[in-house]
Amino acid sequence: MPDSTLRVVEHPLIEHKLSLLRDVGTESRYFRELVNEITMLMAFRATECLEGEEVAFETPLAAMRARRIREDRVVVVPVLRAGLGMVEGMLRMIPGARVGHLGFERNEETLEPRRYYGKLPPESHQYSFLLVDPMLGTGGTASASIADLKERGVTRIVFVCLVAAPEGAGRLAAEHPDVPVYAAALDRQLNEIGYIVPGLGDAGDRLYGTL
């Protein structure tokens, strides 16, 4: 793997909740709750690059100054459809953030991801982007999503996933070495059909009960 941009967010609570998320017996309702909770826990690390602005205000006892993040300058972008499951967790921590959407499907002729939907705030280059998708497998869709944001002038991008494969982490490090990647776990490998092993199955199907 090239010099990695991957940061694995290690914490006993994340490990505990991720083990429940992986369990084949976990039903969709609880699966969605776990995705939200893990995303919230990961947001602490994934937002460490955000810069606050100094503001003045009053406490009950005195005037003071402190730094606050411009939440309206943060955009959470789920990669459809599974990425939608991580949006609520991010918004619980950054309620003033905007939400964009990117959707990709595989071009059957080139086998490469093709964007079929994209909706972002105007003047996107002014914002910091949190690109979210539960699984980083081959890295094809993640790389295409990052490239799409860059084509719109975006320079501040963080990719957040729950489970990553070495293949996907390596591809992002090679193609987008300027984009940090945060994951709850780095798994062993991809299998012959591109699923992460041990993984957690198809995140979209498990989120929305379409197994």
Side-chain angles (χ1 to χ4, degrees):
M1 188 190 307
D3 291 340
S4 182
T5 54
L6 179 69
R7 286 94 157 151
V8 177
V9 183
E10 297 179 340
H11 191 281
L13 268 177
I14 291 178
E15 185 177 2
H16 165 70
K17 291 179 182 293
L18 186 60
S19 75
L20 297 171
L21 194 72
R22 294 181 188 272
D23 194 321
V24 68
T26 298
E27 298 181 352
S28 291
R29 181 179 66 177
Y30 190 30
F31 191 94
R32 289 192 292 270
E33 293 175 1
L34 288 164
V35 169
N36 281 326
E37 291 168 354
I38 296 170
T39 302
M40 289 172 62
L41 292 169
M42 293 184 65
F44 177 75
R45 284 287 311 279
T47 56
E48 60 190 359
C49 62
L50 296 179
E51 296 182 0
E53 296 180 357
E54 191 172 273
V55 296
F57 57 94
E58 299 278 342
T59 80
L61 299 176
M64 71 166 291
R65 302 182 71 85
R67 301 186 71 81
R68 291 179 181 171
I69 294 170
R70 281 285 305 272
E71 293 186 7
D72 62 332
R73 291 296 180 183
V74 178
V75 184
V76 179
V77 179
V79 180
L80 303 176
R81 68 179 166 144
L84 290 170
M86 298 177 68
V87 172
E88 183 179 343
M90 282 294 181
L91 292 181
R92 291 286 299 274
M93 303 307 294
I94 320 171
R98 302 167 190 261
V99 179
H101 296 86
L102 286 177
F104 284 83
E105 61 187 3
R106 189 172 70 168
N107 185 310
E108 295 302 330
E109 294 182 359
T110 65
L111 302 183
E112 290 297 315
R114 180 182 66 83
R115 180 167 63 85
Y116 67 85
Y117 183 78
K119 184 68 173 179
L120 301 175
E123 305 295 330
S124 294
H125 64 279
Q126 299 181 10
Y127 300 90
S128 296
F129 279 73
L130 297 169
L131 187 64
V132 297
D133 195 353
M135 312 299 284
L136 175 59
T138 65
T141 299
S143 182
S145 300
I146 294 169
D148 188 273
L149 293 179
K150 288 181 175 180
E151 288 173 4
R152 300 166 187 253
V154 179
T155 58
R156 297 182 296 277
I157 306 168
V158 173
F159 183 82
V160 187
C161 63
L162 303 185
V163 179
E167 294 88 340
R171 178 167 181 173
L172 289 194
E175 298 181 3
H176 301 286
D178 56 325
V179 175
V181 177
Y182 290 85
L186 176 63
D187 277 10
R188 188 166 64 245
Q189 65 189 53
L190 295 176
N191 66 12
E192 64 278 1
I193 59 173
Y195 276 79
I196 301 174
V197 178
L200 49 79
D202 187 297
D205 284 341
R206 296 195 66 187
L207 277 163
Y208 304 116
T210 52
L211 295 169

